Amino acid sequence: MTIKLGLVGTGTVGGGCLDILRNHREDFKRHLGVDMEVVRVCSRNPEQAEARGVLHLFTEDFNDIINDPEIDIVIELIGGTTAARDVVLGALRAGKNVVTANKALMATFGDEVMDLAREKNLEVGFEASVGGGIPIIQPLKHSLISNEITSVMGIVNGTTNYMLTRMVDDGLSYEDALAEAQAKGFAEADPTADVDGFDAAAKIAILASIAFNSRVKLNDVYTEGIRNITQLDMDTADDMGYVIKLLALAHRTPEGIDVRVHPTMLPKAHQMAQVNGVFNAIYVTGDAVGETMFFGEGAGAGPAAAAVMGDVLEVARHMTLGIPPVVGCTCTDNLPIVPMEKLSTKYYIRFSVADRSGVLAAMAGVFAKHGVSVRSVVQRGSAQHETVNLSYVTHTASEASVRRVLEEIGGLEDVLRAEPSVIRVED
Amino acid sequence: MTIKLGLVGTGTVGGGCLDILRNHREDFKRHLGVDMEVVRVCSRNPEQAEARGVLHLFTEDFNDIINDPEIDIVIELIGGTTAARDVVLGALRAGKNVVTANKALMATFGDEVMDLAREKNLEVGFEASVGGGIPIIQPLKHSLISNEITSVMGIVNGTTNYMLTRMVDDGLSYEDALAEAQAKGFAEADPTADVDGFDAAAKIAILASIAFNSRVKLNDVYTEGIRNITQLDMDTADDMGYVIKLLALAHRTPEGIDVRVHPTMLPKAHQMAQVNGVFNAIYVTGDAVGETMFFGEGAGAGPAAAAVMGDVLEVARHMTLGIPPVVGCTCTDNLPIVPMEKLSTKYYIRFSVADRSGVLAAMAGVFAKHGVSVRSVVQRGSAQHETVNLSYVTHTASEASVRRVLEEIGGLEDVLRAEPSVIRVED
């Protein structure tokens, strides 16, 4: 029995998938008892298909794949939520299993996709949608199932982690770090999805849905990016024993799921603080297993293709054994999302203020008025004449109170010289 | 359908398993569609069973579990390779699936166990045998299957990692670190299995067997422990930018499988160098995925029980779905084990030698004679009168040549003042 694959998308990940099958088809037969063959390839780009040696399998119309009765598994690698959604839903409707690397699709239409798969008794693999080659969805759906997962924290965007690493290690500015990431091909010409945190938000939505058995969608995730991180914040964090990372966080709380993406100060000794460059890591805490971390390359043709083909092989293994899907949608609960205002955590807040007497006292008064207790405050001069930087670290405080502090200090007459920088602190 | 469990062993891990089921039985029904119940418990210790609230299920004879037609899955947690082997093989012969945390058993009789399971069409889960709660066997048997795994490196013994961490962080001697580990319950009264590397050897045998699809047994693993590590070696490593870890290593080479356990100098910047205390980590490199690491708590009731119950739930899930075992023995190849003499790596070698002229030159001559190229040599005084320590780091050299160097320097008249310390270097 040879499992027939239809590949939609012939970019770098698609190319990586073709390479894996070319290199290891005989190994898969011997080790797994699974034989597989790509029988059709769809792309908008025949030159790309030719370069990958699959022009003879080429079509420009994905319906040729969906409607091909011979095809068992459709691999969707075109990204986005329009054509990709048609491909995935169309393939399922036509009775084909699906493997996708599409985080945006799964974080937005994951319920629709998984419901249809269940109805059709088909499988949908999406390991590659989070963390590149790092096994994390499989471990959450299998190895860790004896746990109640209490939190998931991830460095899941390689572009921003590369930029932050360059900023902290080599003193680059945000702009220079971004330009370098773009030059190296780690960041897109329009870097919004990465630097504003939306890519990470889609990934934590997927992880939280599985970890907490309750659907979390992209729109549920409070999201802040790294555009406002300055070298001064980096230095202050360093002095205080922290590093700044763009973290995707999801916590199970008595009130529901707290899920967010934002720059976060992590103690240098934390295992995640040492995840640098384009590497990703996902830190999972369970009630029995305690703390675990999954680390690896978060992007690139090889890692993403390894995850895609791992899913394809798993589905093919089930088909070869003649068994139904083992695990489908795991969202059996319906937990509320905790609104961001209800968050309680520690905060780093840097104000750039007028350098004159009375300002520090006025600000201290505002913190006290709203019940935000200050752990430390550091004053530093600024390059701007008559401006100083005041960096506060609070004890645990509510987001709502901190917002009131920010609002009221913003309203103090002739005090603020720039937008305050707010970074949450994870201890 | 309620899956009936028989538990053999009521120690800390067994207690952890009972706790998990007690806390989450309803969750498992809701999330996984799996209902499970412990119906019999075997132990040599009725008091322990009573303390865990399962005296009413108690038997002293494991045959009562093996022969109970009601029982679907037998959980073996007694350890060792005698009674445990009888329990595991007996359960399989009686048509019951097995979950075990027994690394010694799987590293010694794994082929016998897996062959019998295949013959009987039954499952054997052993995730807990390596890395405590860290998912590693499942990821190797599922998520990473699209890769040719090129190497597996593990810090898989929490006791020795705790000791080495205390030695490097707080300057404890080996003896003091061991005494402390024993006082804290991390080390046994007889610490041989941990400090001499046999525990780690069993674990890397299991990991290598799966990673390379070829059976590796405990006896195949070259094993050195940490008894000879001194504070001087720690300090020298630190000066050179390394930390010393007890690593379990398995490499796929053109000549076969190179598999060993020994103290190893790792660069401080390596992700594994930062795995401290009782934490474990397994670093897996694949041809497509690149570098990945799995990190977590390597021991303790919670983590080990989480892994055991994860396996139990997976088997129960398959039984509930009415499907046969998905993955059994994966040793489909038969690769040779590379003898240790064929190893090529870098070496740190410390000699304690007589402090007199001519010694350094004579030693340099021996290194040159055997073609072992020296990268650096550092001389330090010693507390002993008229003795100095010479620490060499070599370029890549063959184990055979290094052994000849050691032998010949050992034969130099009145030169050595103590056994040389040899630590391999991984860059």
Side-chain angles (χ1 to χ4, degrees):
Chain A
M1 170 181 194
T2 301
I3 306 293
K4 304 287 170 58
L5 313 178
L7 175 66
V8 185
T10 55
T12 51
V13 180
C17 291
L18 292 166
D19 287 344
I20 286 174
L21 192 52
R22 204 171 282 135
N23 294 335
H24 294 306
R25 182 169 175 181
E26 294 306 313
D27 296 327
F28 297 151
K29 283 160 77 171
R30 198 167 73 256
H31 296 322
L32 312 172
V34 165
D35 190 25
M36 306 194 305
E37 183 186 3
V38 176
V39 296
R40 209 79 203 261
V41 162
C42 171
S43 162
R44 282 178 304 191
N45 192 337
E47 292 75 28
Q48 211 175 45
E50 185 167 18
R52 306 210 185 284
V54 287
L55 190 62
H56 60 295
L57 309 175
F58 177 80
T59 173
E60 272 192 342
D61 183 357
F62 67 72
N63 289 300
D64 290 343
I65 287 183
I66 290 175
N67 297 327
D68 184 339
E70 189 190 33
I71 290 175
D72 302 299
I73 305 174
V74 173
I75 305 172
E76 183 278 302
L77 301 174
I78 54 178
T81 54
T82 51
R85 179 164 168 257
D86 294 338
V87 170
V88 167
L89 295 176
L92 290 170
R93 276 191 210 102
K96 299 176 193 320
N97 297 291
V98 170
V99 173
T100 174
N102 194 324
K103 64 211 163 246
L105 180 70
M106 293 308 293
T108 314
F109 299 109
D111 46 359
E112 192 179 358
V113 170
M114 298 310 285
D115 285 352
L116 182 57
R118 176 163 40 198
E119 187 189 308
K120 293 285 192 173
N121 204 26
L122 292 164
E123 297 197 51
V124 178
F126 51 102
E127 181 64 79
S129 65
V130 182
I134 305 171
I136 182 63
I137 290 174
Q138 261 261 352
L140 284 173
K141 286 194 166 192
H142 295 270
S143 313
L144 295 171
I145 48 176
S146 70
N147 289 273
E148 179 168 283
I149 304 296
T150 51
S151 74
V152 180
M153 297 202 312
I155 294 173
V156 288
N157 180 269
T159 307
T160 49
N161 202 47
Y162 176 83
M163 291 170 59
L164 292 173
T165 302
R166 291 287 285 149
M167 288 170 74
V168 72
D169 283 358
D170 304 291
L172 264 63
S173 67
Y174 169 84
E175 289 75 19
D176 290 346
L178 175 58
E180 188 184 282
Q182 286 170 325
K184 292 203 167 196
F186 300 152
E188 314 270 331
D190 175 2
T192 305
D194 291 323
V195 301
D196 289 332
F198 301 124
D199 173 87
K203 291 166 178 170
I204 196 68
I206 293 169
L207 293 179
S209 297
I210 302 170
F212 305 139
N213 296 99
S214 181
R215 179 66 58 189
V216 176
K217 293 193 162 196
L218 180 55
N219 285 339
D220 295 326
V221 183
Y222 174 85
T223 306
E224 281 177 27
I226 65 163
R227 284 188 201 262
N228 297 325
I229 304 291
T230 65
Q231 202 45 246
L232 183 61
D233 299 322
M234 289 274 179
D235 290 346
T236 312
D238 186 58
D239 287 350
M240 299 189 306
Y242 291 97
V243 293
I244 299 174
K245 294 289 185 188
L246 182 65
L247 282 197
L249 304 112
H251 294 273
R252 181 195 295 271
T253 79
E255 291 76 35
I257 299 173
D258 158 26
V259 58
R260 46 200 158 95
V261 170
H262 51 65
T264 310
M265 287 196 186
L266 267 183
K268 285 179 193 172
H270 194 284
Q271 197 73 24
M272 297 272 281
Q274 296 148 352
V275 174
N276 289 320
V278 295
F279 279 92
N280 281 14
I282 298 119
Y283 207 89
V284 180
T285 306
D287 64 345
V289 74
E291 298 173 35
T292 61
M293 189 179 82
F294 303 79
F295 166 91
E297 294 179 43
V308 169
M309 293 306 287
D311 275 346
V312 170
L313 283 163
E314 194 70 21
V315 174
R317 188 185 244 174
H318 297 165
M319 294 186 67
T320 305
L321 285 171
I323 62 178
V326 178
V327 184
C329 181
T330 52
C331 294
T332 46
D333 292 351
N334 192 8
L335 302 174
I337 305 293
V338 180
M340 192 61 184
E341 303 77 56
K342 300 270 173 149
L343 174 68
S344 277
T345 186
K346 293 166 187 164
Y347 293 80
Y348 159 92
I349 313 171
R350 181 176 53 78
F351 297 96
S352 180
V353 300
D355 184 10
R356 62 164 200 270
S357 66
V359 167
L360 197 60
M363 292 176 66
V366 176
F367 275 95
K369 177 180 164 190
H370 295 291
V372 175
S373 171
V374 171
R375 192 171 73 189
S376 69
V377 53
V378 175
Q379 174 169 338
R380 288 176 189 238
S382 152
Q384 275 81 44
H385 194 54
E386 298 189 337
T387 299
V388 293
N389 281 290
L390 290 170
S391 299
Y392 292 83
V393 177
T394 74
H395 289 288
T396 299
S398 79
E399 179 84 14
S401 306
V402 168
R403 288 186 186 177
R404 282 194 289 271
V405 167
L406 289 168
E407 194 180 333
E408 188 158 339
I409 287 177
L412 293 178
E413 202 181 333
D414 192 31
V415 163
L416 285 197
R417 291 287 175 267
E419 272 294 292
S421 169
V422 180
I423 302 176
R424 292 164 192 89
V425 179
E426 197 77 20
D427 269 326
Chain B
M1 169 180 193
T2 301
I3 307 292
K4 305 286 170 59
L5 313 178
L7 175 66
V8 184
T10 55
T12 52
V13 180
C17 291
L18 292 167
D19 287 344
I20 287 174
L21 192 53
R22 203 170 282 135
N23 294 335
H24 294 305
R25 183 170 175 181
E26 293 307 314
D27 296 326
F28 298 151
K29 283 161 76 170
R30 198 168 71 256
H31 298 321
L32 312 172
V34 165
D35 190 25
M36 305 194 304
E37 183 186 2
V38 175
V39 296
R40 207 80 201 259
V41 162
C42 171
S43 161
R44 281 180 304 194
N45 192 337
E47 291 75 25
Q48 213 173 43
E50 184 167 19
R52 307 212 184 283
V54 287
L55 190 62
H56 59 296
L57 308 175
F58 178 79
T59 174
E60 271 191 344
D61 183 358
F62 66 74
N63 288 301
D64 290 342
I65 286 183
I66 291 175
N67 296 327
D68 184 339
E70 188 190 35
I71 290 175
D72 302 297
I73 305 174
V74 173
I75 305 172
E76 182 279 301
L77 300 174
I78 54 177
T81 54
T82 49
R85 180 163 168 259
D86 293 338
V87 170
V88 167
L89 295 176
L92 290 170
R93 277 192 209 101
K96 300 178 193 318
N97 296 291
V98 169
V99 173
T100 173
N102 194 325
K103 64 211 163 246
L105 180 70
M106 293 309 292
T108 313
F109 300 108
D111 46 358
E112 190 179 1
V113 169
M114 298 309 285
D115 285 352
L116 182 58
R118 176 163 40 200
E119 187 189 310
K120 292 285 192 173
N121 205 27
L122 292 165
E123 297 198 52
V124 178
F126 50 102
E127 181 65 79
S129 65
V130 182
I134 305 171
I136 182 61
I137 289 174
Q138 261 262 351
L140 285 173
K141 287 193 166 192
H142 296 270
S143 312
L144 295 171
I145 49 177
S146 70
N147 289 273
E148 179 168 285
I149 304 297
T150 51
S151 74
V152 179
M153 297 202 311
I155 294 173
V156 288
N157 181 268
T159 306
T160 49
N161 203 47
Y162 175 83
M163 289 170 60
L164 292 172
T165 302
R166 290 288 284 152
M167 287 170 75
V168 74
D169 283 359
D170 304 290
L172 264 63
S173 68
Y174 169 84
E175 289 74 17
D176 289 346
L178 175 59
E180 190 184 281
Q182 287 171 323
K184 291 200 168 199
F186 300 153
E188 313 270 331
D190 175 2
T192 304
D194 292 321
V195 301
D196 289 332
F198 301 124
D199 173 86
K203 290 167 178 169
I204 195 68
I206 293 169
L207 293 178
S209 297
I210 301 170
F212 305 140
N213 296 100
S214 181
R215 179 66 58 188
V216 176
K217 293 194 163 195
L218 179 55
N219 285 339
D220 294 325
V221 184
Y222 173 85
T223 306
E224 280 179 24
I226 65 163
R227 283 187 202 262
N228 297 325
I229 303 293
T230 66
Q231 202 44 247
L232 183 61
D233 298 322
M234 290 273 176
D235 290 345
T236 312
D238 186 58
D239 287 350
M240 299 189 306
Y242 291 97
V243 293
I244 299 174
K245 293 290 186 187
L246 182 65
L247 281 198
L249 303 112
H251 294 273
R252 181 194 295 272
T253 79
E255 291 76 36
I257 299 173
D258 158 25
V259 57
R260 46 201 159 95
V261 170
H262 51 63
T264 310
M265 286 196 187
L266 267 183
K268 285 178 193 172
H270 195 284
Q271 197 73 25
M272 296 272 280
Q274 297 148 350
V275 174
N276 288 320
V278 295
F279 279 92
N280 280 14
I282 298 121
Y283 207 87
V284 180
T285 306
D287 65 344
V289 74
E291 299 172 33
T292 60
M293 189 179 83
F294 303 79
F295 165 91
E297 294 179 42
V308 168
M309 292 307 287
D311 275 345
V312 170
L313 283 163
E314 194 70 20
V315 174
R317 188 186 245 173
H318 297 167
M319 292 187 68
T320 305
L321 286 170
I323 62 178
V326 178
V327 185
C329 183
T330 54
C331 295
T332 47
D333 291 350
N334 192 7
L335 302 174
I337 304 295
V338 180
M340 192 62 185
E341 302 77 55
K342 301 271 175 147
L343 174 68
S344 275
T345 187
K346 293 166 186 163
Y347 294 80
Y348 159 92
I349 313 171
R350 180 176 54 79
F351 297 97
S352 180
V353 301
D355 185 10
R356 61 163 199 269
S357 66
V359 167
L360 197 59
M363 292 176 65
V366 175
F367 274 94
K369 177 179 165 191
H370 295 290
V372 176
S373 170
V374 172
R375 191 170 78 192
S376 70
V377 52
V378 175
Q379 175 169 338
R380 288 177 188 237
S382 153
Q384 274 80 44
H385 193 53
E386 297 189 337
T387 300
V388 292
N389 281 289
L390 290 172
S391 299
Y392 293 82
V393 177
T394 73
H395 288 288
T396 299
S398 79
E399 178 85 15
S401 306
V402 168
R403 287 186 187 177
R404 283 194 289 271
V405 167
L406 289 169
E407 195 180 335
E408 188 158 339
I409 287 179
L412 292 178
E413 202 181 332
D414 193 29
V415 163
L416 285 197
R417 291 289 175 266
E419 272 294 295
S421 167
V422 180
I423 302 177
R424 293 165 191 88
V425 179
E426 198 73 22
D427 269 328

